[in-house]
Amino acid sequence: MQKVNLAENIYYLGFNDRRTTLFENIWPIPHGISYSSYLIVDEKITLIDTVERSFIDDYLDQIEAIIGDRKVDYLIINHMEPDHSGALKAIVQKYPEITLVGNKMTFDLVETFFMTPEKVIIVHDNATLELGKHKLQFQMIPMVHWPETMVTLEETNKILFSGDAFGSYGTLDGGIFDDEINLDFYETEVMRYFTNIVGKYCPQTQRAIKKLAPLDIKMIAATHGPIWRTNLNWILSRYKKWSSYDLDQGVVIAYGSMYGNTQKMAEVIARRIAGRGIKNIRVYDVSKTHSSYIINDIFKYKGFIVGSAAYNNALFPNVETLLSTIEHMAPKNHLLGIFGNYAWNGGGVKNLKTFAEKIKWEMVYEPIEERGALKSDMHEELLKLADAMADKLLEL
Ligand code: FEO
């Protein structure tokens, strides 16, 4: 095994998952995902988080290859979601004298998922733990993105073990540190990880960023994706922007269409907005593109226009899925337009109006509904909707 050091006696223990197709059994990960755990070898040997359960055997071997017959003294649990706690039970079985370190909520979840641990240390904000030459400091960042979430600062080398925060989809294909990688690849994967997993908790993320700002941090080691040691501002600036709903000039147009009439309405709107000089326009067929990608662009762009065919007196089901994802994530500060189409009864636009009332984004124009083929009066209305959206976007 090739050992990877973050600093002297601090090791990366990570695995690439190219088999899982849906992260959390929801979100597509065509480029896979990595799981990272860390090991500090000192007078007290300490693990920081573990890995997903399918890597347990290799994980235990990696630890043993580094520490031999010595025992692991502490397991720091920054986050209890099973992609990081999957090997917890195996670690406790192999090192029964181990002490688990977490906060009160951590141990509530340890019991919920696994067991009542024998030896624990319950930590709180600013608590520290001496390992010998290394000293750890703990900070709570609840709801980024679970209630027990905390981060651990290794004070000697100023390494922040950040859990999911600042993590990414995408495997580590050889390069592990940010300066070993062309970060263009991670541009989408980091953002999609943020919007899909953490994005619901933007206010809590903002709070965490402010709380961690005074700390002297030289490296950020998350549980997914690259270790940030050179371009810390690359990841920090993005998290600051996304979590503050700082949106760019652009529009997402998402539609659900069975026979093409709703799609044609979307094309008219998109073409007109482009004609007004807006260059960031993403048009999505919700039957083709998973909401993981659409919500990602909704976190990027100020405008959102949604169209639905009526389906059995209701929304087109895939539009309903997207809107449910949006309501769940609740991004803010958007401009909204809605349109739809029906053949023998309504149901699409009626339910889009209900969505508009719930999400409370600024409606740029009144709802537009056509029956069947697009006719000249509704064509004109679509142009007005497009103009209203473009007018607002051009003010940015
Ligand atoms: Fe990577 Fe929230 O687990």
Side-chain angles (χ1 to χ4, degrees):
M1 187 197 89
Q2 205 177 353
K3 292 176 188 168
V4 178
N5 286 77
L6 281 69
E8 194 180 359
N9 294 322
I10 302 183
Y11 299 90
Y12 157 82
L13 306 173
F15 296 92
N16 288 309
D17 181 352
R18 297 187 180 87
R19 293 191 174 194
T20 301
T21 53
L22 294 175
F23 187 65
E24 293 183 342
N25 215 14
I26 304 173
W27 309 106
I29 43 171
H31 300 294
I33 192 160
S34 62
Y35 311 105
S36 305
S37 167
Y38 301 95
L39 177 70
I40 303 175
V41 179
D42 202 329
E43 288 167 31
K44 298 289 187 186
I45 294 184
T46 302
L47 277 171
I48 299 175
D49 293 309
T50 72
V51 292
E52 203 268 340
R53 57 179 296 115
S54 53
F55 298 97
I56 286 174
D57 287 348
D58 286 344
Y59 180 58
L60 296 178
D61 286 349
Q62 279 196 10
I63 295 167
E64 201 170 309
I66 295 170
I67 67 172
D69 292 337
R70 290 186 67 189
K71 305 294 177 210
V72 179
D73 296 285
Y74 296 125
L75 169 60
I76 314 297
I77 307 169
N78 281 330
H79 182 31
M80 263 301 293
E81 196 163 9
D83 52 329
H84 311 295
S85 65
L88 187 152
K89 207 166 167 181
I91 289 289
V92 173
Q93 282 166 350
K94 180 154 185 185
Y95 304 105
E97 296 298 311
I98 196 168
T99 298
L100 306 187
V101 180
N103 56 65
K104 200 165 170 295
M105 181 61 80
T106 312
F107 291 109
D108 180 51
L109 292 169
V110 171
E111 294 208 19
T112 301
F113 279 100
F114 302 114
M115 67 185 98
T116 303
E118 290 196 4
K119 294 167 77 175
V120 304
I121 295 176
I122 296 179
V123 296
H124 46 79
D125 264 335
N126 301 313
T128 56
L129 183 66
E130 301 278 357
L131 308 182
K133 289 182 183 158
H134 301 86
K135 183 177 172 186
L136 303 180
Q137 178 196 138
F138 306 98
Q139 297 292 337
M140 308 299 124
I141 56 163
M143 300 317 301
V144 184
H145 64 121
W146 272 27
E148 89 300 6
T149 311
M150 62 183 208
V151 296
T152 301
L153 178 68
E154 189 279 308
E155 292 186 351
T156 315
N157 298 283
K158 306 183 192 326
I159 302 171
L160 183 75
F161 297 99
S162 64
D164 278 349
F166 313 116
S168 178
Y169 289 149
T171 49
L172 293 168
D173 297 345
I176 292 170
F177 296 92
D178 59 346
D179 48 47
E180 299 177 327
I181 295 166
N182 182 344
L183 292 175
D184 292 352
F185 168 74
Y186 286 97
E187 189 72 60
T188 301
E189 295 298 277
V190 166
M191 185 172 190
R192 216 160 52 83
Y193 182 82
F194 174 82
T195 61
N196 295 182
I197 307 300
V198 183
K200 180 175 175 63
Y201 302 104
C202 286
Q204 291 87 342
T205 305
Q206 283 275 297
R207 217 171 292 143
I209 290 170
K210 283 195 188 100
K211 183 174 188 173
L212 300 177
L215 302 180
D216 188 6
I217 298 168
K218 297 275 187 265
M219 195 183 304
I220 297 175
T223 44
H224 304 285
I227 297 170
W228 304 90
R229 68 178 177 189
T230 302
N231 296 305
L232 271 67
N233 195 48
W234 192 100
I235 186 76
L236 289 170
S237 60
R238 282 163 176 75
Y239 260 65
K240 281 179 195 162
K241 178 176 168 64
W242 301 332
S243 62
S244 61
Y245 306 112
D246 178 9
L247 301 164
D248 293 338
Q249 185 189 67
V251 60
V252 174
I253 303 171
Y255 67 87
S257 183
M258 279 179 287
Y259 300 109
N261 285 320
T262 311
Q263 177 180 350
K264 280 180 193 156
M265 296 173 81
E267 305 283 12
V268 168
I269 296 166
R271 183 65 196 138
R272 179 68 158 213
I273 293 177
R276 294 290 309 278
I278 305 296
K279 295 196 170 162
N280 294 313
I281 304 171
R282 305 300 324 146
V283 180
Y284 287 113
D285 181 333
V286 295
S287 299
K288 174 90 180 289
T289 306
H290 193 284
S291 59
S292 166
Y293 298 90
I294 304 176
I295 193 81
N296 202 53
D297 276 343
I298 291 171
F299 267 84
K300 263 186 217 165
Y301 300 124
K302 180 90 173 166
F304 178 63
I305 301 177
V306 57
S308 180
Y311 194 87
N312 293 333
N313 296 328
L315 280 172
F316 189 72
N318 294 34
V319 172
E320 201 163 0
T321 302
L322 173 64
L323 298 187
S324 154
T325 304
I326 294 171
E327 281 179 42
H328 183 78
M329 299 298 184
K332 297 194 182 0
N333 299 340
H334 286 78
L335 303 167
L336 178 65
I338 61 181
F339 67 97
N341 202 299
Y342 69 101
W344 47 267
N345 203 345
V349 168
K350 182 179 82 180
N351 285 291
L352 290 179
K353 285 181 191 166
T354 305
F355 165 77
E357 282 161 18
K358 280 197 266 184
I359 201 78
K360 295 187 172 62
W361 292 345
E362 182 185 345
M363 284 277 283
V364 297
Y365 196 69
E366 62 198 55
I368 298 168
E369 189 165 38
E370 176 61 286
R371 184 174 187 187
L374 182 58
K375 280 140 324 260
S376 61
D377 55 341
M378 284 302 142
H379 186 273
E380 283 307 305
E381 284 297 293
L382 292 173
L383 296 180
K384 286 178 188 167
L385 164 60
D387 282 339
M389 180 61 79
D391 287 345
K392 292 276 184 186
L393 294 176
L394 289 167
E395 288 171 11
L396 296 177

